[in-house]
Amino acid sequence: MQKHLRLNEYKVLLFRISLAYLFYFVARVLFYFFNADLLRVESVSDFLSLCYYGLAFDTTAILYVNLLFIVFSILPFWKNTKAGYQKFLFYLYFGTNLLAYATNFIDFIYYKFTFARTTIVALNVLEHETNKTTLFLNFLVEYWYVFVLFVLSSFLWVFLYKKVRVQSFKPTKYLPYFSFSTAGFLIIVLLVIGGIRGGDFKKSTRPINLLDASRNVKNIVHSDIVLNTPFAIIRTAFTNSFLIPAYPDVNAQVIAREVQPVKSYHNNPKTKPNVVVMIVESFGREYIGAFNKKSNIPNYKSHAPFLDSLAQHSMIFTNAYANGRQSIHGMSSVLAGIPSFKDAFTSSPYPKQKIESLVSTLKSEGYNTSFFHGAANGSMGFLGFSKILGIDEYYGRTEFNDDSQFDGFWGIWDEPFLQFMKKTLDKKKAPFFATVFTVSSHEPYVIPEKYKNRFREGGVPIHKSAEYTDYSIKRFFDEAKKEPWFENTIFVMVADHCNQIYYDEYQKPINRFAVPIMIYKPNSKYVGVDDDFAQQIDIFPTIMDMIGYDKPFRSWGRSLLDKKSSQPFVINSTGNIYQFARGNYICTFDGKKALGFYDKNDKALKHNLIKNRNSEMDDIELNCKAFIQDYMERVVNKKLDK
């Protein structure tokens, strides 16, 4: 009966996949042995903990590498057990596994030079080398002992593989054989998909990437122990768009003049107010009436009555835009002033580096720093990136510790989670810096049952969720203003990106990035409406200007309160096309040349003026090139700390 159910084959398959886990563990131990001086783990138990966290990354890499092997092993054919077929599986298994496994051994040495796991970028660099064979042979000679270790490990792997063999048989009852085989095939495929994603089938999480290796480490360099090199290469194989351009008309002088990547402000006395940044999920500018008074939208209706009221006592920027298209793009843009273009900076091979940001500058001034997100800890990659930025405390669904308030999809409802944040801030010593990333105004746009008759669906489903989130923010402010820390706090509200669109005005290509930026400080001079171009990456330098931070710092954005030092502009990307707006025009740029110029009010990009180019257009294109070149150089060459 067992032969008809193929249990022997499945047990052997499990053994063969388990061998891969064993040798990935061996590679991790050897990786640490060769780089212990750089990685420094305090105890064996700490190292074993890192190995445990590394299992998710090993699983993804092993299943990717063995995908064909697994499929061919479980196909519902009785000839699978024949000697010839098993020989085919042997060569398929080791042909793929040893090639991937070898990359771990390369990093035993290469890590000392790059301080990071090898990614697809290394292969891109090699494309331009004419002496690849020489380099490879030199590596083998110079580090012969690594090659010997690889060969010995490979022989041991082959030896163990051959110790357990599939028993040959021919089924006598074909119906149970094929029925069980088909069911087994579907179950194993489902498990493989979950394993490739990182062991999670949940809708609220995406497949793990390099950033997630930082989630559970105390020392950021330990994320390289958690990772393995095949995973790093696979995850970046089709996503890296971080290539340094070489524009003939761009040099250091042009970058310094056009981009001004290092800012320094002396407009305000040095102070240390608390800073709270609220990144509101999917809360496009379209939903807030205070930001649409000049939009001339017929029968416009606001879905944010509290933010409308708060805007009367705030500085609001009605022509502001996101620097990315996804939530993780918003986090890096707002907190670190790092936009994302074709691919997210945080999903690239380069986020694990020292980054000058709101976090690092405020920490240097004695601020406690914290990040709040009501979803599962690590969701969206926020926990990993917060570790890289150096945030002191991360508060997620785990710390909230009451799943009776879980929305069933993404995380804790905004109202209770913002109250949790308020109570947590009450206990902190000033000055503190806190960021919260809300969750409720997100697809599938559910709200708590008790509010189903209070917040009704408007023109699009997100409207009721937006109204609930607006109410949740109101409840936060109602309670926070009772606390002594409230009066000396700068509050910044911004969306991560836009979402469902109801009005035609926001269907226009440029307005698909339209987000609100609002700065509120109780009883301060910062009240009014600013219609100049603004963007998420401007928040970092704006806060530095407000608190009188008197040291130079890296920033591609500009202080929204400084009208003298630099000209307002906005840059973002639709994926393949950059959009750069400054002065009187919007420029679309494909990475090599300008595709079009449009009047700054032509948000629909209907009338291309490129045939009537003028000197201002030429300077805008040069500025766009200079920005992209400086961005890529600093990201790739790991110069985001200066």
Side-chain angles (χ1 to χ4, degrees):
M1 182 63 178
Q2 284 193 3
K3 289 185 176 180
H4 291 303
L5 299 182
R6 304 185 68 184
L7 296 184
N8 171 254
E9 289 179 71
Y10 293 156
K11 288 177 182 177
V12 174
L13 174 62
L14 180 61
F15 171 78
R16 291 169 175 174
I17 297 300
S18 298
L19 284 179
Y21 281 95
L22 172 63
F23 283 92
Y24 272 57
F25 172 74
V26 171
R28 184 170 279 113
V29 172
L30 291 172
F31 173 75
Y32 179 73
F33 175 81
F34 278 94
N35 297 284
D37 56 331
L38 298 173
L39 298 168
R40 294 186 183 278
V41 176
E42 292 182 2
S43 66
V44 173
S45 62
D46 284 346
F47 179 77
L48 291 177
S49 294
L50 295 172
C51 292
Y52 170 75
Y53 295 128
L55 284 174
F57 300 87
D58 290 353
T59 297
T60 297
I62 289 168
L63 293 180
Y64 260 127
V65 171
N66 287 279
L67 197 56
L68 284 176
F69 173 78
I70 293 171
V71 169
F72 279 110
S73 295
I74 61 176
L75 287 173
F77 303 144
W78 64 267
K79 290 186 178 180
N80 291 6
T81 64
K82 297 297 183 182
Y85 195 88
Q86 287 298 311
K87 189 173 183 180
F88 159 73
L89 289 179
F90 173 87
Y91 287 112
L92 177 60
Y93 179 88
F94 283 108
T96 52
N97 274 297
L98 293 185
L99 179 62
Y101 194 57
T103 62
N104 281 315
F105 286 71
I106 292 172
D107 264 351
F108 295 173
I109 304 301
Y110 199 49
Y111 183 83
K112 298 179 183 296
F113 303 98
T114 62
F115 308 110
R117 288 281 188 170
T118 296
T119 64
I120 198 66
V121 176
L123 301 181
N124 292 337
V125 171
L126 282 174
E127 282 182 0
H128 304 287
E129 299 295 336
T130 58
N131 58 341
K132 298 182 184 66
T133 302
T134 303
L135 291 172
F136 178 71
L137 292 175
N138 182 69
F139 183 87
L140 292 182
V141 173
E142 186 75 16
Y143 304 107
W144 59 268
Y145 47 89
V146 174
F147 179 70
V148 170
L149 281 173
F150 173 72
V151 171
L152 292 175
S153 298
S154 300
F155 273 115
L156 180 58
W157 195 342
V158 171
F159 172 78
L160 293 175
Y161 179 99
K162 290 182 175 181
K163 294 291 287 184
V164 178
R165 299 178 183 273
V166 170
Q167 299 171 9
S168 178
F169 81 99
K170 181 178 180 179
T172 56
K173 296 181 180 180
Y174 289 95
L175 183 59
Y177 174 86
F178 284 105
S179 298
F180 186 86
S181 295
T182 302
F185 182 91
L186 295 175
I187 292 171
I188 292 172
V189 167
L190 184 63
L191 292 173
V192 167
I193 291 172
I196 285 176
R197 286 177 57 83
D200 201 331
F201 294 88
K202 295 178 183 176
K203 183 179 181 181
S204 62
T205 56
R206 80 279 182 265
I208 57 172
N209 58 32
L210 273 69
L211 193 61
D212 292 300
S214 304
R215 286 171 51 179
N216 298 299
V217 300
K218 298 176 182 177
N219 185 337
I220 196 62
V221 300
H222 291 166
S223 60
D224 291 317
I225 300 175
V226 175
L227 287 169
N228 61 75
T229 306
F231 176 91
I233 293 173
I234 290 168
R235 272 289 185 255
T236 58
F238 306 105
T239 60
N240 182 46
S241 60
F242 289 78
L243 303 174
I244 302 173
Y247 300 119
D249 49 351
V250 175
N251 54 36
Q253 290 72 31
V254 171
I255 290 172
R257 182 184 74 244
E258 299 286 340
V259 182
Q260 301 176 24
V262 177
K263 303 294 194 297
S264 181
Y265 297 106
H266 303 279
N267 301 317
N268 295 292
K270 192 168 185 177
T271 55
K272 290 188 178 182
N274 306 307
V275 179
V276 174
V277 174
M278 307 186 83
I279 305 176
V280 189
E281 173 67 53
S282 302
F283 220 96
R285 198 199 310 156
E286 175 182 359
Y287 312 141
I288 310 176
F291 288 80
N292 285 280
K293 291 183 177 180
K294 297 180 181 179
S295 61
N296 298 317
I297 298 174
N299 303 313
Y300 174 84
K301 180 184 176 182
S302 174
H303 296 279
F306 173 70
L307 292 180
D308 284 340
S309 66
L310 190 65
Q312 308 307 310
H313 309 282
S314 306
M315 178 66 70
I316 67 171
F317 300 87
T318 59
N319 201 19
Y321 299 88
N323 295 109
R325 305 173 306 283
Q326 300 173 11
S327 296
I328 192 63
H329 299 179
M331 184 181 180
S332 65
S333 296
V334 172
L335 298 189
I338 303 173
S340 291
F341 299 122
K342 183 177 181 180
D343 297 314
F345 161 73
T346 49
S347 299
S348 76
Y350 307 104
K352 195 181 73 63
Q353 57 176 293
K354 188 175 180 181
I355 299 172
E356 189 165 35
S357 66
L358 262 173
V359 179
S360 66
T361 51
L362 291 177
K363 284 185 73 169
S364 73
E365 294 296 299
Y367 281 67
N368 169 267
T369 59
S370 55
F371 187 89
F372 295 79
H373 185 228
N377 289 38
S379 176
M380 305 291 182
F382 294 156
L383 177 54
F385 192 54
S386 71
K387 293 270 189 178
I388 289 171
L389 292 181
I391 289 174
D392 294 320
E393 291 105 15
Y394 184 98
Y395 300 93
R397 181 176 163 190
T398 299
E399 288 71 25
F400 184 81
N401 197 30
D402 181 6
D403 270 1
S404 68
Q405 301 298 323
F406 177 54
D407 65 11
F409 293 93
W410 290 99
I412 305 301
W413 298 112
D414 282 348
E415 182 186 8
F417 193 75
L418 287 174
Q419 292 301 307
F420 164 73
M421 173 185 171
K422 179 263 171 188
K423 292 175 182 177
T424 304
L425 295 182
D426 290 345
K427 302 172 185 177
K428 291 192 178 293
K429 182 180 179 181
F432 58 75
F433 169 65
T435 303
V436 62
F437 208 117
T438 67
V439 303
S440 294
S441 47
H442 197 297
E443 185 272 336
Y445 314 115
V446 293
I447 60 174
E449 183 69 19
K450 64 180 179 179
Y451 291 127
K452 69 176 183 179
N453 294 321
R454 178 169 183 170
F455 306 116
R456 296 180 179 273
E457 190 163 310
V460 289
I462 196 175
H463 284 165
K464 68 177 183 295
S465 299
E467 291 182 6
Y468 167 69
T469 293
D470 176 77
Y471 173 75
S472 301
I473 295 172
K474 176 183 183 299
R475 289 276 299 111
F476 170 82
F477 273 84
D478 286 345
E479 297 303 315
K481 67 184 179 183
K482 300 174 184 177
E483 303 301 330
W485 57 263
F486 180 82
E487 288 294 322
N488 190 35
T489 302
I490 297 171
F491 295 90
V492 179
M493 267 148 286
V494 62
D496 56 341
H497 54 73
C498 301
N499 202 283
Q500 289 188 321
I501 296 171
Y502 182 63
Y503 297 111
D504 289 343
E505 177 66 20
Y506 287 92
Q507 292 284 3
K508 297 175 180 178
I510 298 301
N511 280 343
R512 294 175 190 177
F513 290 85
V515 297
I517 294 180
M518 178 189 299
I519 298 174
Y520 170 70
K521 188 174 189 301
N523 304 311
S524 75
K525 63 181 179 180
Y526 301 112
V527 178
V529 178
D530 191 318
D531 296 324
D532 282 341
F533 285 126
Q535 55 192 324
Q536 291 169 332
I537 63 173
D538 293 335
I539 291 173
F540 171 20
T542 300
I543 292 175
M544 294 298 97
D545 188 7
M546 290 180 72
I547 69 172
Y549 185 79
D550 55 6
K551 302 172 186 175
F553 61 97
R554 177 209 58 80
S555 172
W556 286 306
R558 50 174 282 275
S559 169
L560 295 171
L561 307 175
D562 184 289
K563 299 294 184 180
K564 301 176 182 178
S565 301
S566 55
Q567 194 172 353
F569 76 99
V570 170
I571 186 169
N572 49 43
S573 164
T574 59
N576 296 317
I577 305 299
Y578 295 94
Q579 297 177 153
F580 191 95
R582 195 189 73 176
N584 294 307
Y585 300 103
I586 301 166
C587 172
T588 56
F589 184 76
D590 68 359
K592 295 181 180 179
K593 63 182 186 304
L595 301 178
F597 291 94
Y598 304 84
D599 184 89
K600 67 179 182 179
N601 296 313
D602 184 8
K603 304 293 178 64
L605 303 181
K606 286 186 175 180
H607 307 290
N608 194 340
L609 308 175
I610 196 168
K611 292 183 179 179
N612 301 311
R613 285 187 69 140
N614 56 38
S615 58
E616 184 180 358
M617 294 177 183
D618 292 338
D619 192 48
I620 288 173
E621 181 178 9
L622 181 63
N623 195 323
C624 182
K625 289 179 180 178
F627 189 104
I628 294 168
Q629 183 158 313
D630 189 61
Y631 173 87
M632 294 298 178
E633 284 179 344
R634 288 178 181 272
V635 169
V636 173
N637 294 328
K638 299 186 177 181
K639 295 181 178 179
L640 293 176
D641 61 335
K642 56 182 82 171

mmCIF file of all heavy atoms in Angstrom, residues 322-336:
data_model
loop_
_atom_site.group_PDB
_atom_site.id
_atom_site.type_symbol
_atom_site.label_atom_id
_atom_site.label_comp_id
_atom_site.label_asym_id
_atom_site.label_seq_id
_atom_site.Cartn_x
_atom_site.Cartn_y
_atom_site.Cartn_z
ATOM 1 N N ALA A 322 4.394 62.541 -3.360
ATOM 2 C CA ALA A 322 5.177 61.414 -2.866
ATOM 3 C C ALA A 322 6.388 61.204 -3.761
ATOM 4 O O ALA A 322 6.364 61.528 -4.955
ATOM 5 C CB ALA A 322 4.318 60.149 -2.848
ATOM 6 N N ASN A 323 7.436 60.646 -3.182
ATOM 7 C CA ASN A 323 8.653 60.312 -3.948
ATOM 8 C C ASN A 323 8.717 58.832 -4.293
ATOM 9 O O ASN A 323 9.758 58.327 -4.695
ATOM 10 C CB ASN A 323 9.895 60.699 -3.154
ATOM 11 C CG ASN A 323 10.007 62.191 -2.943
ATOM 12 O OD1 ASN A 323 9.828 62.677 -1.836
ATOM 13 N ND2 ASN A 323 10.280 62.934 -4.001
ATOM 14 N N GLY A 324 7.600 58.135 -4.135
ATOM 15 C CA GLY A 324 7.554 56.720 -4.465
ATOM 16 C C GLY A 324 6.117 56.268 -4.600
ATOM 17 O O GLY A 324 5.177 57.063 -4.481
ATOM 18 N N ARG A 325 5.940 54.981 -4.808
ATOM 19 C CA ARG A 325 4.611 54.457 -5.110
ATOM 20 C C ARG A 325 4.116 53.448 -4.082
ATOM 21 O O ARG A 325 2.975 53.012 -4.156
ATOM 22 C CB ARG A 325 4.629 53.781 -6.492
ATOM 23 C CG ARG A 325 5.136 54.673 -7.592
ATOM 24 C CD ARG A 325 5.310 53.945 -8.915
ATOM 25 N NE ARG A 325 6.146 52.762 -8.833
ATOM 26 C CZ ARG A 325 7.480 52.770 -8.763
ATOM 27 N NH1 ARG A 325 8.126 53.927 -8.771
ATOM 28 N NH2 ARG A 325 8.173 51.652 -8.687
ATOM 29 N N GLN A 326 4.965 53.061 -3.140
ATOM 30 C CA GLN A 326 4.591 52.029 -2.178
ATOM 31 C C GLN A 326 4.899 52.502 -0.760
ATOM 32 O O GLN A 326 5.613 53.488 -0.556
ATOM 33 C CB GLN A 326 5.345 50.735 -2.477
ATOM 34 C CG GLN A 326 5.070 50.169 -3.860
ATOM 35 C CD GLN A 326 5.958 48.981 -4.183
ATOM 36 O OE1 GLN A 326 6.646 48.445 -3.313
ATOM 37 N NE2 GLN A 326 5.967 48.576 -5.445
ATOM 38 N N SER A 327 4.372 51.749 0.196
ATOM 39 C CA SER A 327 4.531 52.147 1.599
ATOM 40 C C SER A 327 5.992 52.237 2.014
ATOM 41 O O SER A 327 6.405 53.184 2.685
ATOM 42 C CB SER A 327 3.786 51.159 2.503
ATOM 43 O OG SER A 327 2.403 51.200 2.252
ATOM 44 N N ILE A 328 6.788 51.231 1.641
ATOM 45 C CA ILE A 328 8.190 51.242 2.042
ATOM 46 C C ILE A 328 8.944 52.383 1.371
ATOM 47 O O ILE A 328 9.910 52.910 1.915
ATOM 48 C CB ILE A 328 8.858 49.870 1.755
ATOM 49 C CG1 ILE A 328 10.234 49.791 2.433
ATOM 50 C CG2 ILE A 328 8.929 49.610 0.275
ATOM 51 C CD1 ILE A 328 10.209 49.874 3.933
ATOM 52 N N HIS A 329 8.487 52.805 0.193
ATOM 53 C CA HIS A 329 9.074 53.986 -0.439
ATOM 54 C C HIS A 329 8.845 55.209 0.447
ATOM 55 O O HIS A 329 9.718 56.072 0.584
ATOM 56 C CB HIS A 329 8.422 54.253 -1.799
ATOM 57 C CG HIS A 329 8.589 53.148 -2.796
ATOM 58 N ND1 HIS A 329 8.040 53.214 -4.063
ATOM 59 C CD2 HIS A 329 9.233 51.970 -2.740
ATOM 60 C CE1 HIS A 329 8.336 52.106 -4.730
ATOM 61 N NE2 HIS A 329 9.062 51.339 -3.938
ATOM 62 N N GLY A 330 7.642 55.282 1.019
ATOM 63 C CA GLY A 330 7.314 56.425 1.857
ATOM 64 C C GLY A 330 8.173 56.495 3.096
ATOM 65 O O GLY A 330 8.591 57.579 3.518
ATOM 66 N N MET A 331 8.456 55.362 3.705
ATOM 67 C CA MET A 331 9.266 55.363 4.930
ATOM 68 C C MET A 331 10.664 55.904 4.663
ATOM 69 O O MET A 331 11.172 56.746 5.409
ATOM 70 C CB MET A 331 9.350 53.960 5.514
ATOM 71 C CG MET A 331 10.102 53.902 6.836
ATOM 72 S SD MET A 331 10.214 52.223 7.494
ATOM 73 C CE MET A 331 11.132 52.503 9.012
ATOM 74 N N SER A 332 11.303 55.435 3.595
ATOM 75 C CA SER A 332 12.663 55.897 3.305
ATOM 76 C C SER A 332 12.667 57.355 2.863
ATOM 77 O O SER A 332 13.581 58.112 3.187
ATOM 78 C CB SER A 332 13.321 55.013 2.242
ATOM 79 O OG SER A 332 12.664 55.120 0.993
ATOM 80 N N SER A 333 11.627 57.780 2.137
ATOM 81 C CA SER A 333 11.563 59.173 1.676
ATOM 82 C C SER A 333 11.367 60.128 2.836
ATOM 83 O O SER A 333 12.038 61.162 2.928
ATOM 84 C CB SER A 333 10.423 59.340 0.660
ATOM 85 O OG SER A 333 10.644 58.583 -0.503
ATOM 86 N N VAL A 334 10.435 59.801 3.731
ATOM 87 C CA VAL A 334 10.098 60.706 4.820
ATOM 88 C C VAL A 334 11.181 60.728 5.896
ATOM 89 O O VAL A 334 11.622 61.799 6.329
ATOM 90 C CB VAL A 334 8.735 60.317 5.440
ATOM 91 C CG1 VAL A 334 8.458 61.136 6.695
ATOM 92 C CG2 VAL A 334 7.618 60.512 4.420
ATOM 93 N N LEU A 335 11.623 59.566 6.335
ATOM 94 C CA LEU A 335 12.549 59.507 7.465
ATOM 95 C C LEU A 335 14.002 59.709 7.075
ATOM 96 O O LEU A 335 14.791 60.232 7.862
ATOM 97 C CB LEU A 335 12.403 58.176 8.202
ATOM 98 C CG LEU A 335 11.040 57.895 8.832
ATOM 99 C CD1 LEU A 335 11.110 56.658 9.703
ATOM 100 C CD2 LEU A 335 10.554 59.096 9.642
ATOM 101 N N ALA A 336 14.371 59.291 5.868
ATOM 102 C CA ALA A 336 15.780 59.371 5.475
ATOM 103 C C ALA A 336 16.012 60.292 4.279
ATOM 104 O O ALA A 336 17.160 60.484 3.880
ATOM 105 C CB ALA A 336 16.311 57.974 5.154
#
